[in-house]
Amino acid sequence: MPELLTHSSSIILLSLKQAHFHIFYYFPTDDDKNITKHILGIPTFSSHAEHRKHILIHTAAVFRDFSRKGFTEGMSGHISVRDPEFPEYIWMNPLGKHFGLMTAGDLICLDVKTGKVVGGNKTRCANAAGFLIHSEIHKARPDVHAVCHAHTNAGRAWATFGKGLEMLSQDICYLYDSIAVYNSYGGIVFAEEEGRNIAKSLGSKNKTAILLNHGLLSVGSTVDEAGFLFGLLDRGCAIQLQVEAACAGNPALKKQVVSDEEAAYNFKMASEPNILYAEAQPDLEFEFAMAGEGTIEKGVETMRIDEEFR
């Protein structure tokens, strides 16, 4: 039986049906039969090859979404996603490829333990600093299938304080009790130890991290989830900065922070992998539409693990 969660005037019904996780939002009225919204959650696939294509296409779309949101800074920033067939391998972006131009065929497949290229695009090199961070997180957290890291303006500004975020809005409660703070800046990451330290600070349950003097990081069970949570964290940093500035300018203003009880409830309602996957889809659909048919998908048919590493 599906789990029924109720709050206020809305009812959220979660159910499994036809190999998809379906999310039904009911808004009761005198005739609620006519008001039903249907959203698909994480899809399933008949083969690893089809699953891989989906993951790589959506990873490229998340990069383009990051570009549109201004999450670029030279060659900094990276996203990794675990291969669905070989969990010891991860797919990452090549060094120096602009997020806004990313396609599925640009991605490189790396052995998470050695960094050896085992498939995908071989025309560009991988980002060494990115691999050292992401590989340690993937090794430490088997539940994590995707990791996002970038140097955003709001993220870097708030990261100078070495503090987490207050639950100032309903939306940021999606990250209630799941924002880590890494308070030891170790310079540009070119050593495994710094990557391990970041992974350790993330812990066993946190979904995001604020890295002192560095940037932001998010993880997820899908690249869609990780990408959505990264944007949510960045917007949370921007809102926190704005609120702090407003309070500093007018001491009469008093923050009203969401209580732990309500924040925990909101987290339970919304921070579920299928719901977070669905949350990401509007922005990704926009990227597919803006790029044009076949653009983001370009090269996906050639993306495979080399035979010698299978």
Side-chain angles (χ1 to χ4, degrees), residues 207-242:
K207 294 173 177 283
T208 59
I210 296 171
L211 312 180
L212 182 69
N213 303 126
H214 187 170
L216 305 178
L217 185 144
S218 67
V219 302
S221 58
T222 62
V223 69
D224 311 69
E225 175 185 346
F228 175 75
L229 291 180
F230 187 94
L232 184 63
L233 181 65
D234 180 70
R235 293 187 292 276
C237 289
I239 291 169
Q240 186 85 49
L241 287 164
Q242 292 166 347

Side-chain angles (χ1 to χ4, degrees), residues 156-286:
R156 283 177 292 180
W158 184 251
T160 62
F161 299 107
K163 296 176 62 177
L165 297 176
E166 293 175 305
M167 298 296 103
L168 296 176
S169 70
Q170 174 176 290
D171 303 288
I172 201 62
C173 293
Y174 285 36
L175 294 175
Y176 175 71
D177 197 29
S178 58
I179 303 173
V181 178
Y182 179 54
N183 263 328
S184 178
Y185 177 65
I188 297 175
V189 181
F190 284 123
E192 290 182 6
E193 182 180 3
E194 182 67 1
R196 281 194 293 268
N197 289 339
I198 293 173
K200 184 178 179 180
S201 74
L202 188 65
S204 62
K205 69 174 184 65
N206 289 310
K207 294 173 177 283
T208 59
I210 296 171
L211 312 180
L212 182 69
N213 303 126
H214 187 170
L216 305 178
L217 185 144
S218 67
V219 302
S221 58
T222 62
V223 69
D224 311 69
E225 175 185 346
F228 175 75
L229 291 180
F230 187 94
L232 184 63
L233 181 65
D234 180 70
R235 293 187 292 276
C237 289
I239 291 169
Q240 186 85 49
L241 287 164
Q242 292 166 347
V243 170
E244 297 296 340
C247 290
N250 183 356
L253 291 175
K254 301 298 179 185
K255 288 184 286 188
Q256 299 295 318
V257 179
V258 178
S259 70
D260 286 338
E261 181 181 3
E262 285 295 330
Y265 180 84
N266 289 344
F267 178 87
K268 178 182 178 182
M269 288 285 287
S271 196
E272 188 278 334
N274 289 278
I275 294 176
L276 294 174
Y277 177 92
E279 289 276 17
Q281 299 318 301
D283 284 345
L284 299 192
E285 288 173 4
F286 182 79

